[in-house]
Amino acid sequence: MSDRDFLLSFGRFKNEFLRQAGLEKNQYGVLDAFEKWLRMYHNNNVDENDKVPPSGIYLDVHKDREVLLNEICRRVEQKLLQRGIVVKCISAARWGKARSSALCLVLPGFQDVFYRLCFTQPRKGIYSGRKILMSELVLDGHKKSLFLPLLNYHSEMERRLDFRLERESLHMEQAGRYRFKICFPVEQEKIPASKLEEIARVVARFIIVSSEYLEKVNAAQIG
């Protein structure tokens, strides 16, 4: 097994362990620290040409779904770490989605605010019936404290991202789902591995930009 395959397998085993063990959040520390050390050790001890998969490699959206999500999360974590931002990548089981392959990136200081990465196929809206890879900032339960204040910066965030920033439908927001999301249509059954770097770059930028405004809104309320 190659180092890269080992790291991807470790991510899957870690998520499954967390799902089954039922640990409290304050018990994740050593495991998270070990994973970050393992990834950094790997990055410092591989050839530069091995860090980006060859463009000729394709990953099946159905068979390799968890591998795709883990690989994107790994790349996002690395890009954020370069900016001094440390996030925790955990499975959606932490929020009661035991059968979901979705992964959640959690910022320090925000216990129930997180970024969710998943594959989905909306039934309504502009992506109706289409398969998409989606990253969303989940703000459920924070309508007045975070979501509504962030709406004031919606256009500004979108301009800085240079990428369409979606909201939930009015019906879903009325039901309590308050989210901002970016979507990548998956038109074919297989995704070239070379595309993962581009997706990770946009997702990392989404987290960097939106987290700046989260901090800004928080500071305004505390002040």
Side-chain angles (χ1 to χ4, degrees), residues 26-75:
N26 59 8
Q27 296 176 295
Y28 292 178
V30 174
L31 192 58
D32 287 334
F34 175 66
E35 181 181 14
K36 291 186 184 301
W37 174 86
L38 188 63
R39 294 188 186 285
M40 292 181 69
Y41 176 85
H42 169 70
N43 290 334
N44 291 331
N45 289 275
V46 296
D47 187 89
E48 287 297 323
N49 295 325
D50 294 332
K51 292 186 179 181
V52 179
S55 59
I57 294 180
Y58 289 78
L59 297 177
D60 190 287
V61 173
H62 298 292
K63 295 180 181 179
D64 304 317
R65 182 166 293 192
E66 291 188 14
V67 175
L68 279 164
L69 293 178
N70 273 288
E71 178 65 12
I72 292 172
C73 271
R74 181 183 72 83
R75 292 168 181 268

Side-chain angles (χ1 to χ4, degrees), residues 165-215:
L165 188 58
E166 313 279 353
R167 287 175 55 183
E168 289 284 6
S169 66
L170 181 60
H171 172 73
M172 295 305 294
E173 287 184 356
Q174 289 175 338
R177 287 170 60 113
Y178 303 106
R179 305 178 181 185
F180 292 102
K181 50 192 177 181
I182 55 177
C183 303
F184 306 89
V186 181
E187 304 295 349
Q188 300 183 9
E189 293 301 311
K190 295 188 176 182
I191 297 178
S194 57
K195 183 73 174 177
L196 299 183
E197 180 68 15
E198 178 184 344
I199 293 174
R201 178 184 57 80
V202 177
V203 173
R205 183 64 181 164
F206 171 45
I207 294 175
I208 290 169
V209 170
S210 57
S211 65
E212 287 180 10
Y213 289 95
L214 277 172
E215 295 287 354

